[in-house]
Amino acid sequence: MRYSALRILMEGLTGNKGWTPTWRDAEPKAEYDVVIVGGGGHGLATAYYLAKVYGITNVAVVEKGWIGGGNVGRNTTIIRSNYMLPGNEPFYEFSMKLWENLEQDFNYNAMVSQRGVLNLYHSDGQRDAYARRGNAMRMYGVDAELLDQDAVRSLYPTLNYDNARFPIQGGLYQARGGTVRHDAVAWGYAKGASEHGVDIIQNCEVTGMDIAGGAITGVQTSRGTIRAKKVAVCVAGSSSKVMSLAGLRLPIESHVLQAFVSEAMKPIIPGVITYGAGHFYLSQSDKGGLVFGGDIDGYNSYAQRGNLPVIEDVCEGGMSLMPSLGRAKVVRSWGGIMDMSMDGSPFIDRTSVDGLYFNGGWCYGGFKATPASGYCYAHLLARDEPHHVATEYRLDRFMRGAMIDEKGVGAQPNLH
Amino acid sequence: MIINHPLLGPRDAAEFVYLGDASLIDRPDGEQDGAAAAFHTYQYLRDNPAGPHEELWFHEQGDRSWLVVTRDTTTHEITHVRLARDVARERGRGQ
């Protein structure tokens, strides 16, 4: 089905009787060319680009629960490409360009809103670091602007500029950054993939991998055996669990990251702000709720819920940045499980098992990376060589000493 | 989370700093053959289990002792706490 304004008008005049399901809920077949494990944003995007760009349509996406029930629905919906290192910045900019054309591409309203992402700085040293990052971004053709205090004040008049310890001196601004309706990303990719003939199979948990002679032949699932020429794992959060079925250990720890939503209020925060002096970032959803979060809890967890000390820390950060936040009630909080990698950067790579591919280790960067992750993973699956913007996301980079450590904290996953 | 410190009794986990898997106690021998591969495995690869996990916590806001805490990563329930010193000595490390 093709969505358009005309279609809405026509359906409105005819009692809305013509709508059909957005995508097809398929039964598993005995064999596929490619089985993608994980029906989240990245898995569905991989299936979509595999079918649309690379012409491989005998593909199944198998999902343990329902599609979009994992991290693609458990994030704070922010998109940006304000990275610094050569291995990262071209990839995230590629992703940003795909976001900019995404809704027209898969014909689904994902509410992509380029409302601007602002990283605040509070000291001369931090300004220098952001100037450097902004220059690195511009060298890759990405928009970046260093704002002074007056410019920030005109965008966000309600912030606490005269905090005695952390006065806001300015910020690094990426105007093309913004937010996206996260569930619609999963549904849009599912629609696009389904229309190209991909089978989306829900309630289908992978319980084993069939490996013979060092090559993968299929997967065991809760809905029977599915043979496959290639198996593409794409289950960030549970990567270690799934890859252990093939006997592989990963440079990844699973950590819980919490996020929060306040009661709805009138528009007060036009874009996305990150606080430079504490673990806090903030945006406002189209429904009016303030969406905010902070740092990971910092210990291994698969629990999808965090603890109170981090909630307190996040709220203190928020109060310090914007004291008027104290009048708002927090109505919801949730936790998502992150693949925290050893250098804070992801993996899109082959593995030591022929035909078994791995995509994961997204830390908190997973949502904004969704389109490029799917595109580059599809390229790898189709061509058996990495896409040119994702050549550095190799599993062996630690052995080679080729880490992509944006934060420079070393092999300590809970600090990235 | 409350960590039942073997010397100090129940303490808030917020007093501690988390390092990671207790396998970090088992530092490889840098003189052995294949030390580079052994250090890669030691430093970068993790079991990362969903379930009971032995992990190192440092009591930074307390007596600055290192603990080995056994905690379920699916429920956050802590079942066992020992001094890392005792665990390391049992494994034949240090004096």
Side-chain angles (χ1 to χ4, degrees), chain A residues 237-242 244 249-255 299-302 337-340, chain B residues 18 21 45-53 73:
Chain A
S238 301
S239 293
S240 299
K241 245 163 58 175
V242 174
S244 73
R249 292 174 86 219
L250 300 173
I252 285 172
E253 287 179 2
S254 295
H255 285 257
Y299 44 81
N300 287 43
S301 175
Y302 286 91
I337 303 304
M338 314 284 116
D339 268 10
M340 296 303 294
Chain B
Y18 180 82
D21 195 310
L45 301 185
R46 298 285 185 272
D47 285 336
N48 191 21
H53 186 227
T73 58

Side-chain angles (χ1 to χ4, degrees), chain A residues 97-401:
Chain A
K97 289 194 170 119
L98 290 170
W99 282 120
E100 287 175 327
N101 192 34
L102 186 66
E103 295 160 303
Q104 291 73 22
D105 194 50
F106 63 28
N107 178 235
Y108 199 78
N109 181 11
M111 296 165 68
V112 177
S113 166
Q114 294 181 289
R115 53 183 69 186
V117 171
L118 178 66
N119 303 125
L120 298 173
Y121 61 77
H122 309 266
S123 67
D124 294 351
Q126 211 170 14
R127 184 197 57 216
D128 292 350
Y130 278 150
R132 182 182 174 213
R133 175 182 296 247
N135 285 333
M137 289 163 66
R138 292 178 82 134
M139 279 168 64
Y140 288 106
V142 181
D143 66 311
E145 196 181 345
L146 200 64
L147 303 183
D148 61 12
Q149 198 201 58
D150 288 341
V152 174
R153 219 185 259 273
S154 69
L155 284 172
Y156 294 100
T158 56
L159 303 183
N160 182 10
Y161 287 87
D162 304 316
N163 182 314
R165 178 69 183 84
F166 301 112
I168 296 169
Q169 294 189 0
L172 180 65
Y173 188 57
Q174 186 183 19
R176 287 163 65 240
T179 60
V180 179
R181 170 87 204 280
H182 53 192
D183 299 314
V185 175
W187 300 331
Y189 275 123
K191 171 181 185 288
S194 193
E195 282 171 356
H196 283 89
V198 171
D199 280 359
I200 296 167
I201 305 161
Q202 301 184 107
N203 299 309
C204 184
E205 180 177 3
V206 170
T207 54
M209 304 242 189
D210 296 330
I211 297 167
I216 196 124
T217 59
V219 288
Q220 302 287 332
T221 76
S222 55
R223 296 177 71 174
T225 302
I226 304 174
R227 292 193 305 280
K229 296 189 181 74
K230 291 179 177 178
V231 173
V233 174
C234 199
V235 294
S238 301
S239 293
S240 299
K241 245 163 58 175
V242 174
M243 294 305 277
S244 73
L245 299 173
L248 299 175
R249 292 174 86 219
L250 300 173
I252 285 172
E253 287 179 2
S254 295
H255 285 257
V256 61
L257 174 65
Q258 303 188 71
F260 312 86
V261 173
S262 80
E263 58 195 326
M265 58 189 73
K266 287 182 178 176
I268 181 170
I269 302 293
V272 179
I273 325 171
T274 70
Y275 189 28
H279 298 298
F280 183 78
Y281 61 93
L282 175 70
S283 64
Q284 188 168 18
S285 80
D286 293 335
K287 284 189 287 186
L290 297 174
V291 183
F292 57 98
D295 210 1
I296 54 174
D297 272 38
Y299 44 81
N300 287 43
S301 175
Y302 286 91
Q304 290 194 326
R305 63 175 184 277
N307 273 297
L308 287 169
V310 169
I311 298 177
E312 190 178 8
D313 184 61
V314 169
C315 291
E316 281 173 352
M319 286 297 288
S320 149
L321 173 68
M322 192 173 144
S324 54
L325 269 183
R327 303 292 295 274
K329 291 188 183 71
V330 176
V331 293
R332 263 196 337 275
S333 76
W334 65 93
I337 303 304
M338 314 284 116
D339 268 10
M340 296 303 294
S341 69
M342 289 290 162
D343 59 357
S345 294
F347 307 96
I348 303 175
D349 200 4
R350 288 181 291 215
T351 67
S352 54
V353 178
D354 278 349
L356 177 62
Y357 297 76
F358 177 66
N359 174 322
W362 290 99
C363 302
Y364 344 123
F367 180 69
K368 74 179 82 71
T370 304
S373 165
Y375 203 111
C376 294
Y377 203 21
H379 184 99
L380 177 70
L381 287 162
R383 304 265 173 90
D384 259 322
E385 61 182 26
H387 188 278
H388 68 87
V389 297
T391 54
E392 302 302 313
Y393 296 152
R394 307 292 304 276
L395 280 161
D396 67 352
R397 65 176 181 255
F398 302 103
M399 196 65 199
R400 291 184 286 115

